[in-house]
Each structure stands twice: as C-alpha cells, then as structure tokens.
Amino acid sequence: KAGVTQTPRYLIKTRGQQVTLSCSPISGHRSVSWYQQTPGQGLQFLFEYFSETQRNKGNFPGRFSGRQFSNSRSEMNVSTLELGDSALYLCASSQSAGAMETQYFGPGTRLLVL
Amino acid sequence: AQKITQTQPGMFVQEKEAVTLDCTYDTSDQSYGLFWYKQPSSGEMIFLIYQGSYDEQNATEGRYSLNFQKARKSANLVISASQLGDSAMYFCAMREGQGNAGNMLTFGGGTRLMVKP
C-alpha cells in the first residue's frame, strides 16, 4: 500500500496570506490527524477527522481549520499567516480512532512564512 | 505538567552497541497506548513500536524493544546493535482513553541519537 502523502512538500508564504495543505491517507484509513512541529514548541496536535467529522481539536486559534472529504483525504487551512506559523506540518492516518490504533505519518509540509 | 518526558536531549552510541532511550509518562487513565517514532532529518515520522497499557509482555519489533515498567510509568526504547542509519530524532508518544475517544498523540521533546562509526 502507498503511504500517507502530503502536498505540497515545501511552501513559502508571506504574512497575512492564507495557505491550504493537503493530506491523502493510506488506503482504507478513515482517521486523519494533523500536527504542527516547531523547534520551540515541539510536536503539537492540531485536529483529527474521522468520517468527515472533526473529533478533536488542539489548542490553536481559529485561523487554523480543516476538513475531510468522503474519500478520507483531508485539507488544513491557515488564514492570515503569522511568522510563528512557520513549521513542519505533519499529517497522520489510522484505520479507525480506537485507542490502540497506530498512526502512520506522511513526509510533512514545510511552511515558511516571511 | 509534562505528560511525556524524555530527559536525554542528545546521545551518542558506538555502532553495533545497544542504546536505551528514556521515556516517562503521566496519566490517570487505565487504558492508554505508548508509541515510539523515529524522525530522520528528512522530517517524516516513522513508527517503530507500540505498547498497550494492558500488555503484559514488553513489545519487540526487530532490533527495537520497549522496556515497559507500568508502576514506574516508564517506557524506554532499547535499540540493539546500533547502525549508522539509526542516527535520528526519537520521539515517545502517548494516546490516552478507551474506545473511540480520538487519536490525539501527546509527544515528548525527543532525543537526538547519533551513532558513531
């Protein structure tokens, strides 16, 4: 099976712009989670989608949003970009949302905000 | 309070030797899962090994084993016979809750492992 794919891999934006990142989960996986990784804050959970519904949301401002489509592909959007949004954004998928499910990560999207 | 603590920011190990990466966790849940991931410089998080809170035996996956001490709330990763390709960041992570409580992983700060030839 193909792994989790994320597009684009690299992105440069300027402050105030908005950005949309895409994630395609492993075939058959219905749960998609997003994480932000920065040198200062480490890995932080953004949100999780399962069957097109947001199940959990981390402690991020409303500028961060996401959605999931019927084919389980997910997008996250960040509006009004700030310098601090520069980060590696990782998407992970799992078959379901059970406590023992392993999440498999994609290669990430590196976002640089200038 | 930190839910996942990795006290070793960086470690060196000689090639072919074994190394232990420390992880302690904090939870009041009875049901939880502990995971270790490897992150090379490319950025991708690679799943290594999983231990469930109800598993009585330590998990093993090839050269990776998890030293699970529930009473001490520790889940140390042991890598046997280190290889140069093991040089990377290693993250310990936990998911709490039962059933379909959601998939949120809480990560530790990571340990950078460097394997010396």
Side-chain angles (χ1 to χ4, degrees), chain A residues 4 9-10 31-33 35 37 43-45 48 50 55-58 88 90 93-94 96-108 110, chain B residues 31-33 35 37 39-47 50-54 91 95-109:
Chain A
V4 178
R9 294 292 311 279
Y10 303 92
S31 173
V32 173
S33 298
Y35 296 84
Q37 185 177 24
L43 279 150
Q44 294 184 285
F45 172 78
E48 178 213 351
F50 181 76
R55 290 165 50 87
N56 281 308
K57 190 177 193 303
L88 176 66
L90 291 161
S93 77
S94 62
S96 67
M100 304 308 171
E101 287 286 339
T102 296
Q103 291 184 51
Y104 296 92
F105 284 79
R110 291 190 186 274
Chain B
S31 177
Y32 52 89
F35 303 80
Y37 288 88
Q39 187 178 43
S41 56
S42 61
E44 182 171 0
M45 298 285 282
I46 302 167
F47 166 72
Y50 161 80
Q51 181 85 41
S53 58
Y54 295 118
F91 290 95
R95 182 168 64 237
E96 301 168 277
Q98 301 187 41
N100 286 326
N103 256 343
M104 184 184 83
L105 284 173
T106 302
F107 286 86

Side-chain angles (χ1 to χ4, degrees), chain B residues 62-79:
Chain B
R63 294 186 299 112
Y64 305 107
S65 61
L66 202 152
N67 184 359
F68 182 46
Q69 298 188 44
K70 195 170 181 177
R72 293 187 176 186
K73 293 189 175 178
S74 75
N76 298 338
L77 176 71
V78 180
I79 306 174

